[in-house]
Amino acid sequence: MRLLNHILSLAILFIVLTGCSPADKQEVKEKPEEFFPLVRYSMLVNEYCAEEGVIRPNQQFIELLNGRPVPSKAIRQLNTLPRKTFDFRSVRAGDRYVRFIHEWSDSVTALVIEHDPVHYTVFHFKDSLRVERCENPVTVSDKVATGTIETNLSETIQSLGLSHILTNRFVDIFAWQVDFYHLQKGDHFKILYKELSVNGKPFDIGKIDGIYFNHNNNPNWAIPFDQGKGLDYFDEDGNSIRKALLKRSEEHTSELQSQSTISYAVFCLKKK
């Protein structure tokens, strides 16, 4: 009996010292680190460091490599690159570039030159040179802008946080109807248009889908329609804005192939 009690005491002491029973002991396995792919310019760049900059006036292309290692074969190919593959004269001061450096070798793996928000060229420097001309996907969004003139159209559109491109398009469309040097305080407008963006950043204005502009209490409409001779703008009755003033005669609705296009645009512009 004493022996049994002694054995039980030793077992309890062992459990206390180890903090758990043998049944509770489990092998702890470390969780593998998750891999999150980082993609830029359609390249997997997890192992690269990115160095970004802006091309300076008269800067040589070779300077963009910043003296970092590049395969000699790739350099020779770069020096004899035909213009049909890439014309170095197309590189302009102010263009952005991104240099991708391999983490362990410190060599340039790729060089990207952005020509505009959509178009860019990738120079791959591995065993040999490979040049890719690429385009970013463009997102087209329907937008609506409304405003009331306080001083002039440009300041009003700017105060709305909109692009000056919209001001220029607005003036071009109504140049035949409105004297923009004599706008009145209280004149108001509504614009339906397409906004173009890349990676969530707007960069341009696309098609103008319609404009309503009340100037001196006179309504002015501009609805785009292409009759096969290029895009023109019409009022709510289907009369050509430009032709009506140039010829002093109306272009009747019957000349349009689709009155529904104008009717729908007028409906959207009248919505509050």
Side-chain angles (χ1 to χ4, degrees):
M1 188 68 177
R2 287 183 180 179
L3 179 61
L4 180 60
N5 289 337
H6 183 67
I7 292 173
L8 287 173
S9 298
L10 289 175
I12 291 170
L13 180 62
F14 176 80
I15 291 171
V16 171
L17 291 176
T18 57
C20 61
S21 66
D24 292 332
K25 283 188 176 183
Q26 294 181 357
E27 185 179 351
V28 179
K29 293 183 178 179
E30 290 188 7
K31 224 178 180 182
E33 188 176 342
E34 289 189 58
F35 176 77
F36 297 98
L38 179 60
V39 178
R40 292 185 66 183
Y41 305 103
S42 301
M43 298 185 296
L44 188 64
V45 296
N46 288 69
E47 296 182 354
Y48 307 138
C49 299
E51 299 177 343
E52 304 186 21
V54 176
I55 296 176
R56 303 187 306 271
N58 302 318
Q59 187 173 19
Q60 297 294 316
F61 183 89
I62 198 69
E63 295 177 47
L64 302 180
L65 302 177
N66 201 30
R68 294 183 181 275
V70 173
S72 57
K73 182 179 179 181
I75 292 295
R76 289 195 301 271
Q77 291 174 318
L78 191 64
N79 291 331
T80 58
L81 198 64
R83 283 184 181 174
K84 65 180 181 180
T85 302
F86 184 78
D87 189 349
F88 289 97
R89 296 175 301 177
S90 66
V91 180
R92 301 166 300 177
D95 287 349
R96 291 185 67 256
Y97 68 87
V98 184
R99 190 169 48 234
F100 289 98
I101 312 300
H102 203 287
E103 287 183 342
W104 57 266
S105 68
D106 203 37
S107 61
V108 179
T109 303
L111 177 70
V112 179
I113 297 179
E114 297 181 359
H115 307 290
D116 55 49
V118 178
H119 304 91
Y120 63 93
T121 302
V122 183
F123 296 84
H124 297 275
F125 298 104
K126 292 195 175 176
D127 295 333
S128 60
L129 176 67
R130 182 165 61 89
V131 181
E132 281 187 297
R133 288 184 162 183
C134 309
E135 294 184 8
N136 287 312
V138 177
T139 301
V140 181
S141 306
D142 291 313
K143 296 290 182 179
V144 179
T146 59
T148 301
I149 302 297
E150 292 293 332
T151 54
N152 59 57
L153 179 65
S154 178
E155 289 185 7
T156 302
I157 288 183
Q158 187 177 7
S159 69
L160 297 172
L162 303 175
S163 169
H164 69 278
I165 298 172
L166 203 55
T167 304
N168 297 338
R169 300 281 293 279
F170 192 118
V171 172
D172 288 343
I173 290 169
F174 281 118
W176 302 96
Q177 286 184 303
V178 178
D179 182 357
F180 284 93
Y181 290 103
H182 293 90
L183 297 184
Q184 302 296 315
K185 184 176 181 179
D187 289 351
H188 53 277
F189 61 83
K190 182 175 183 179
I191 312 174
L192 310 178
Y193 65 98
K194 307 289 188 190
E195 182 183 75
L196 310 182
S197 60
V198 168
N199 298 324
K201 296 180 180 179
F203 71 92
D204 202 356
I205 301 297
K207 180 185 175 185
I208 301 293
D209 291 321
I211 304 179
Y212 170 74
F213 184 35
N214 190 300
H215 171 53
N216 278 337
N217 292 321
N218 294 317
N220 297 276
W221 302 81
I223 312 299
F225 192 79
D226 190 346
Q227 294 179 274
K229 297 180 180 180
L231 192 66
D232 201 355
Y233 288 86
F234 300 83
D235 63 19
E236 76 277 22
D237 295 321
N239 304 315
S240 170
I241 292 176
R242 293 177 174 87
K243 291 179 181 178
L245 288 170
L246 287 173
K247 296 182 179 180
R248 300 294 180 183
S249 61
E250 294 184 345
E251 298 291 323
H252 294 289
T253 306
S254 59
E255 292 182 343
L256 296 178
Q257 296 177 3
S258 176
Q259 177 63 25
S260 61
T261 301
I262 289 181
S263 300
Y264 178 71
V266 170
F267 168 76
C268 293
L269 287 166
K270 286 183 176 179
K271 286 176 66 179
K272 295 188 177 180

